Amino acid sequence: MQEKLLFDSHCHLNSDSFDENDVLEMIHTARDQKVVQILVPGYDMKSSERAIELADNWQGVYAAIGIHPNDANGTTDEMYDQLREWAKLPYVVAIGEIGLDYHWDTTPKEVQFEVFRRQIALAKEVKLPIIIHDREAHADIVRILQEEGAREVGGIMHCFSGSWEMARDCMEMNFMISFGGPVTFKNAKRPQEVAKKIPLDYLLVETDSPYLTPEPYRGKPNQPLYVRYIAEKIAELREMDFADVCEITSANAERIFKVRNPFVSM
């Protein structure tokens, strides 16, 4: 087994919570601990542009672009046109995070549906995978993905919180299942049970920094370095070697995003 290189498949280095010095320190600290690849997803136009800037400036950092359901109000045709142009950049590797959020009452469901569907169509047009945000909207997420033919491009179920049955439906549509900090929580029985069952070819790990910090740092701001604790927990749950989880989840992320690790000789 080679070195335990990790890929944080979902990390908001573009968050307003982080300044330039924070980002610099987090990337260097993560790389010192072999977290050498990071996907930065957008959630509105500003954060998508910031994700692109980070990917342009840092080898091993990649961008996703998209409009989060909580930011879907006021979406215009010009925004979709801009996303389409950004999608041509070589370090833009996915559309996301997009989806549905029923927890926060900020955007009417009809608006969320329209923006979600249009971005799935855009992903199919530009031939990029989709990163799905799903909060308390499991049935509608699966239904819309099926209706819009999202299987054509596939993608990632970010920070998966659904049932095993939902996971199977998503995998049938070529979606990988990604686990974040909640899988390390003591009361997270359902994510842990699902994490035990996911076929290895569909398994990913992520931090969702600065949110959802895993044990043992729960309650503090999250950062890419902490993806190792999620991988360690999954290794424990599945009775696997940590090194194998690192290798498998990194290879899966590279496959879905169609990238190669620039630090393989590190």
Side-chain angles (χ1 to χ4, degrees), residues 176 200-204 248-256:
M176 293 188 176
L200 291 175
D201 285 350
Y202 288 87
L203 183 64
L204 293 177
I248 289 165
T249 56
S250 295
N252 289 345
E254 290 170 16
R255 186 171 71 254
I256 190 67

Side-chain angles (χ1 to χ4, degrees), residues 101-121:
D101 191 316
Y102 296 168
H103 182 77
W104 302 109
D105 187 21
T106 59
T107 308
K109 287 185 179 181
E110 294 75 17
V111 174
Q112 292 192 44
F113 293 160
E114 178 186 1
V115 174
F116 187 24
R117 289 181 188 275
R118 286 195 65 172
Q119 289 184 99
I120 295 171

Side-chain angles (χ1 to χ4, degrees), residues 100-256:
L100 303 174
D101 191 316
Y102 296 168
H103 182 77
W104 302 109
D105 187 21
T106 59
T107 308
K109 287 185 179 181
E110 294 75 17
V111 174
Q112 292 192 44
F113 293 160
E114 178 186 1
V115 174
F116 187 24
R117 289 181 188 275
R118 286 195 65 172
Q119 289 184 99
I120 295 171
L122 174 62
K124 292 166 64 178
E125 177 187 338
V126 300
K127 296 179 172 56
L128 288 178
I130 306 164
I131 299 172
I132 298 296
H133 172 95
D134 167 25
R135 191 164 187 187
E136 301 172 15
H138 303 328
D140 284 342
I141 285 281
V142 172
R143 175 178 60 82
I144 290 174
L145 290 175
Q146 290 172 337
E147 289 174 356
E148 296 299 321
R151 177 186 177 87
E152 182 179 323
V153 290
I156 297 170
M157 304 305 295
H158 144 61
C159 200
F160 187 75
S161 60
S163 65
W164 169 243
E165 290 74 21
M166 180 185 179
R168 285 190 306 188
D169 288 340
C170 293
M171 289 186 289
E172 286 175 1
M173 292 185 284
N174 296 323
F175 279 80
M176 293 188 176
I177 310 299
S178 183
F179 294 94
V183 79
T184 70
F185 300 167
K186 291 180 181 178
N187 61 348
K189 293 183 179 179
R190 185 161 74 170
Q192 290 176 1
E193 287 302 315
V194 176
K196 292 179 184 178
K197 295 181 179 181
I198 295 297
L200 291 175
D201 285 350
Y202 288 87
L203 183 64
L204 293 177
V205 290
E206 63 170 88
T207 60
D208 198 22
S209 304
Y211 315 108
L212 300 177
T213 310
E215 300 289 356
Y217 295 102
R218 189 176 182 182
K220 298 180 180 180
N222 207 353
Q223 58 176 301
L225 169 65
Y226 296 160
V227 75
R228 67 177 295 107
Y229 296 106
I230 296 151
E232 286 173 352
K233 184 63 178 183
I234 289 175
E236 174 193 326
L237 291 168
R238 299 182 68 109
E239 299 181 346
M240 293 174 59
D241 288 340
F242 171 63
D244 289 339
V245 172
C246 295
E247 181 179 57
I248 289 165
T249 56
S250 295
N252 289 345
E254 290 170 16
R255 186 171 71 254
I256 190 67

Side-chain angles (χ1 to χ4, degrees), residues 10-30:
H10 195 110
C11 171
H12 290 292
L13 293 178
N14 51 349
S15 170
D16 290 337
S17 300
F18 300 139
D19 62 24
E20 291 290 343
N21 290 332
D22 293 331
V23 171
L24 181 67
E25 181 178 356
M26 285 189 295
I27 290 177
H28 282 304
T29 301

